Amino acid sequence: MNFAYTIAGSEATGGAGFQVDIKTFQKLGVYGSGALTCIVSFDPNNNWGHKYFPVPVDVLRDQLAAALGAQDIRTAKIGMLGSPATIDVVSETLRSQEWDNIVVDPVLICKGQEPGQALDTDTALREKILPLATVTTPNNFEARTLSGMESLETVEDLVSAAQKIAELGPKAVVVKGGIDFPGKDAVDVLWDGENAYVFRAPKVGNERVSGAGCTLAAAITAELAKGATVKDAVAVAKDMVTAGIDARVSAKTPFDTVWQGAYTGQGNPKVSVEEFRG
Ligand code: PXL
């Protein structure tokens, strides 16, 4: 059995976080389990603002001890952590055993958190979690924050940002251009420490879809757990996200969510991969 583990927050509508990770793992044929770091509830009476409840660190420790004690888990995805105290526990746990793959989705801020606390959390993530990553998957905003670059307007910019972020410790970096990246394509770049690759698919609409980042990182995690290379894992993950956005689920929230169930695994002619030669 191939096991994939997630350390992430619950998002109660099922559109992001832990719920997306488990659905993605299942769809890609790996056995999923995980620990909850926090519980996020969008508030229907407050314009769907985020309510954030941290899971007490002792309860987080118990969850980690249960799963990692029960199964031989060597591949993990790290999602929203939410607080410096949580980051300390997760960092200790990651250092306490050997891993084949640690995929870090560097979720920097979640609405509903105090800005001061968010800054501490970002610093702790950068110092204590990112150096342990074998792959990290920043979005456009996170990549600008982590690289110190002001804007990401070209493929060259995405590659530079990925290379700068790799200097913080992760072996491979996937920078997602996303909806803010100019042009008709959704462009992601992988820097694997030696080569850069450019992944493209036509943008589907011009609105942000919730859960795309979580799905991408979870799918990379599942594919790595099955033994794929990082490049092949990213290609499958982008195919799944593209299919899932095409088949997105609308809701009363201001954003739609990804439907992981739409992925067929038949290969997607809309997704292209080429090596970047600067
Ligand atoms: O998409 C980032 C994200 C990750 N994890 C949780 C979230 C969100 C965004 O809402 O709630 C738990």
Side-chain angles (χ1 to χ4, degrees), residues 9-11 16-18 38 40 42 50 80 107 110 211 214:
S10 165
E11 191 278 271
F18 190 92
C38 61
V40 172
F42 300 152
H50 293 208
M80 182 172 169
V107 180
C110 169
C214 300

Side-chain angles (χ1 to χ4, degrees), residues 200-212:
R200 289 177 185 275
K203 283 179 184 166
V204 185
N206 280 306
E207 300 291 332
R208 250 168 252 282
V209 175
S210 176

Side-chain angles (χ1 to χ4, degrees), residues 212-233:
C214 300
T215 305
L216 190 91
I220 293 171
T221 307
E223 290 302 300
L224 293 175
K226 293 191 280 186
T229 62
V230 177
K231 180 185 163 210
D232 290 347

Side-chain angles (χ1 to χ4, degrees), residues 39-120:
I39 297 173
V40 172
S41 311
F42 300 152
D43 185 351
N45 299 314
N46 182 25
N47 200 23
W48 307 101
H50 293 208
K51 286 184 168 174
Y52 161 79
F53 173 79
V55 168
V57 289
D58 289 350
V59 178
L60 175 59
R61 272 204 193 89
D62 289 347
Q63 297 175 72
L64 293 162
L68 301 178
Q71 290 157 343
D72 184 18
I73 293 171
R74 298 184 62 95
T75 294
K77 181 209 149 180
I78 315 302
M80 182 172 169
L81 297 175
S83 77
T86 300
I87 287 173
D88 281 342
V89 173
V90 172
S91 177
E92 265 166 42
T93 302
L94 292 177
R95 289 168 203 272
S96 71
Q97 69 160 72
E98 292 205 6
W99 298 89
D100 295 331
N101 310 288
I102 297 179
V103 179
V104 176
D105 189 11
V107 180
L108 283 188
I109 38 172
C110 169
K111 285 170 243 155
Q113 280 182 270
E114 295 299 321
Q117 186 198 346
L119 191 61
D120 287 357

